[in-house]
Amino acid sequence: AQSVTQPDIHITVSEGASLELRCNYSYGATPYLFWYVQSPGQGLQLLLKYFSGDTLVQGIKGFEAEFKRSQSSFNLRKPSVHWSDAAEYFCAVLRYGGSQGNLIFGKGTKLSVKP
Amino acid sequence: DAGVIQSPRHEVTEMGQEVTLRCKPISGHDYLFWYRQTMMRGLELLIYFNNNVPIDDSGMPEDRFSAKMPNASFSTLKIQPSEPRDSAVYFCASSSSGTQAYEQYFGPGTRLTVT
């Protein structure tokens, strides 16, 4: 069955440090992949998406992600973290053969930022 | 645009009572989704609509849950009777089948507590 795994439940980084959040998926074909961010008490906001083409995709708020088919990964990165980036981050994949509705979400990674 | 609007933001009710959650999608979006988020199970898709028609309700936990979309600008999720295990945050999201297909926009959620 298709799945999305975010191995890190909670990560703490210092402000100004670089960030990488891991996401692994299981999928037979080329997946449609997404990263969402959820600030406390808020809904999810789309950061970026990958459908095809260039495997390095840029998103909002200075985030980027790289699709690596050989590793079944779609890791999220940011070169310099700001305190406002503290939130929970979710990776998602479009279910195989699915239409718009069939997103499978990972369990999320909570990011804390130290001053 | 005001984004996806959900009401109420918080709901506290007693076991056995009927609960109705409401959602107004972004104007022009033809897909609407209902999700439930809990610590244990993460983010789960309950049901989604396309052009007001339910497409997949396989995520609806049981017959106590029902959802309707009487028109393009309004949807409800009803739980009758409610149980303590229904306590969760319920999100509504919408998306378009146009140029931004597959990008789901989430509302702020309704935090439901059933005592």
Side-chain angles (χ1 to χ4, degrees):
Chain A
Q2 292 174 254
S3 65
V4 175
T5 302
Q6 294 180 246
D8 304 304
I9 297 174
H10 190 188
I11 285 182
T12 300
V13 300
S14 297
E15 191 168 17
S18 63
L19 170 71
E20 183 168 24
L21 302 182
R22 297 183 290 165
C23 172
N24 295 98
Y25 63 89
S26 68
Y27 194 84
T30 300
Y32 284 16
L33 294 159
F34 307 81
W35 274 101
Y36 282 83
V37 61
Q38 183 180 24
S39 298
Q42 302 296 315
L44 279 71
Q45 180 184 22
L46 180 66
L47 284 175
L48 48 78
K49 64 184 186 290
Y50 172 78
F51 291 170
S52 64
D54 192 343
T55 57
L56 184 64
V57 293
Q58 303 296 320
I60 62 171
K61 305 185 181 196
F63 285 92
E64 66 179 26
E66 186 171 14
F67 170 64
K68 293 185 177 180
R69 184 189 302 276
S70 61
Q71 298 178 19
S72 298
S73 69
F74 187 56
N75 293 349
L76 182 71
R77 301 195 294 247
K78 187 170 186 178
S80 177
V81 169
H82 187 261
W83 64 266
S84 60
D85 294 323
E88 190 153 19
Y89 292 80
F90 294 89
C91 182
V93 64
L94 185 71
R95 195 185 304 268
Y96 177 73
S99 64
Q100 293 229 21
N102 288 306
L103 285 182
I104 303 171
F105 283 88
K107 291 296 179 67
T109 298
K110 184 175 181 180
L111 173 65
S112 297
V113 180
K114 292 189 300 185
Chain B
D1 200 308
V4 176
I5 298 172
Q6 292 186 247
S7 64
R9 293 293 311 275
H10 301 272
E11 177 79 41
V12 180
T13 191
E14 292 184 349
M15 182 174 63
Q17 297 298 307
E18 177 180 295
V19 175
T20 300
L21 311 181
R22 297 172 175 79
C23 174
K24 176 180 170 54
I26 292 173
S27 177
H29 281 189
D30 52 351
Y31 283 83
L32 183 137
F33 312 88
W34 282 102
Y35 290 91
R36 178 172 67 176
Q37 185 179 40
T38 62
M39 291 289 292
M40 290 297 295
R41 300 175 66 89
L43 198 63
E44 304 173 279
L45 176 66
L46 299 177
I47 185 172
Y48 76 97
F49 297 83
N50 177 219
N51 291 323
N52 313 335
V53 176
I55 303 301
D56 184 352
D57 65 354
S58 60
M60 296 286 263
E62 49 198 273
D63 293 344
R64 297 185 298 106
F65 286 70
S66 63
K68 294 182 180 179
M69 192 165 186
N71 57 63
S73 59
F74 184 66
S75 177
T76 60
L77 178 68
K78 186 176 294 186
I79 308 172
Q80 167 62 19
S82 58
E83 297 183 2
R85 60 192 168 120
D86 301 330
S87 297
V89 181
Y90 292 81
F91 289 103
C92 176
S94 69
S95 70
S96 164
S97 55
T99 56
Q100 293 184 312
Y102 303 104
E103 295 184 16
Q104 296 188 18
Y105 293 81
F106 283 73
T110 295
R111 181 173 295 276
L112 174 64
T113 303
V114 183
T115 61

